[in-house]
Amino acid sequence: MREPPPFERTLAALDYGFPVDRLVHALKYGHRLAVTRLFVDRMSAAAVPEADLVVPLPLHVSRLSARGFNQAAEIGRPLAREWGIPFVCDCIERDVNTTPQAGLPWKDRAANVRGAFRVTTRVEGLRVVVVDDVMTTGATLAELARTLKGVGALSVENRVLARTPPPG
């Protein structure tokens, strides 16, 4: 790879297609929190990460307020408990209220999230696992990994429920 991502690896439990897309939408937009158990079960089937900390991909405060919850936190909290790794929900803030990535062309997504995150807790020398629901281009997860490593995180691994296949 000419430009490797700033994270060490990403593990996705499922492909983002029917019926997974409907279940994710039921959680995010229909407030069907019960589906998180299914998501956690699928994601915990993979090997336990060698990590010091699990964090959810944060939402901007306005999006969190509108939705009422962070789906990544709802998945990450029980997942971290199963792994026996500390879960910290408030160590990263999303300072920039970016345009939702789903509404943007793939080529515009990296610029959309540039500078969006701020780490508020010491992560120096820690191995961090970032949990999210869906990875499409990886731009948001890459920006968060850059931010975490910029303040001294030793490594960043992503664990996502589903991965969107590239177009084509």
Side-chain angles (χ1 to χ4, degrees):
M1 292 176 21
R2 283 179 278 151
E3 294 182 40
F7 45 79
E8 276 58 44
R9 70 180 183 160
T10 298
L11 289 180
L14 302 164
D15 286 333
Y16 189 66
F18 184 82
V20 175
D21 57 346
R22 305 293 165 84
L23 291 170
V24 169
H25 282 243
L27 170 61
K28 288 169 82 164
Y29 309 114
H31 298 96
R32 302 273 165 73
L33 294 170
V35 300
T36 59
R37 184 71 250 164
L38 170 66
F39 296 168
V40 170
D41 288 346
R42 295 305 298 231
M43 292 173 74
S44 66
V48 174
E50 292 184 20
D52 304 300
L53 189 65
V54 175
V55 300
L57 187 88
L59 295 176
H60 186 268
V61 67
S62 64
R63 196 162 303 147
L64 180 60
S65 178
R67 188 171 292 160
F69 65 97
N70 178 345
Q71 71 280 359
E74 296 300 322
I75 297 167
R77 187 176 292 108
L79 197 54
R81 190 171 34 252
E82 287 192 20
W83 289 334
I85 302 170
F87 178 78
V88 180
C89 195
D90 59 356
C91 72
I92 304 162
E93 291 184 7
R94 191 170 189 148
D95 286 337
V96 179
N97 189 13
T98 58
T99 301
Q101 295 284 76
L104 294 174
W106 282 37
K107 63 181 178 51
D108 297 340
R109 293 181 179 200
N112 184 51
V113 292
R114 195 163 295 121
F117 303 106
R118 180 171 46 92
V119 179
T120 60
T121 302
R122 282 185 60 123
V123 296
E124 188 175 331
L126 298 181
R127 300 165 299 170
V128 180
V129 172
V130 176
V131 173
D132 199 13
D133 55 349
V134 178
M135 178 180 184
T136 304
T137 64
T140 306
L141 291 164
E143 182 63 21
L144 181 52
R146 262 190 292 284
T147 303
L148 286 162
K149 287 188 169 182
V151 295
L154 183 64
S155 66
V156 178
E157 177 179 327
N158 303 312
R159 295 290 180 108
V160 298
L161 170 67
R163 175 78 197 256
T164 301

